[in-house]
Amino acid sequence: MEYIAVLLPSVVVGLLFWFAMKSIFNADKSERQAEARAQAEADNKARAGDSGPGTGHSPGPVK
């Protein structure tokens, strides 16, 4: 029984650390996914806006 009393605090602190790190990494992953979606949406809007008339850009070389 004394082994449990000695090891229990370290195990509890280790589990708390593990849960904290897991939540940090999950939040970072979610933030990266949201940033990628926002960047893709901005790229799509920019790409769609560049090809329209009146943008001042030429459609490319004429053959």
Side-chain angles (χ1 to χ4, degrees):
M1 188 64 158
E2 62 188 59
Y3 292 117
I4 293 174
V6 169
L7 293 176
L8 189 61
S10 296
V11 170
V12 170
V13 169
L15 286 173
L16 287 174
F17 178 76
W18 182 75
F19 281 118
M21 294 304 293
K22 182 179 176 183
S23 67
I24 289 170
F25 284 127
N26 283 339
D28 181 60
K29 182 173 111 176
S30 297
E31 185 177 353
R32 287 175 188 256
Q33 289 174 344
E35 180 67 29
R37 282 193 303 269
Q39 186 65 38
E41 184 177 324
D43 289 345
N44 286 339
K45 284 183 181 179
R47 196 174 305 126
D50 285 345
S51 63
T55 60
H57 298 291
S58 64
V62 179
K63 293 183 180 181

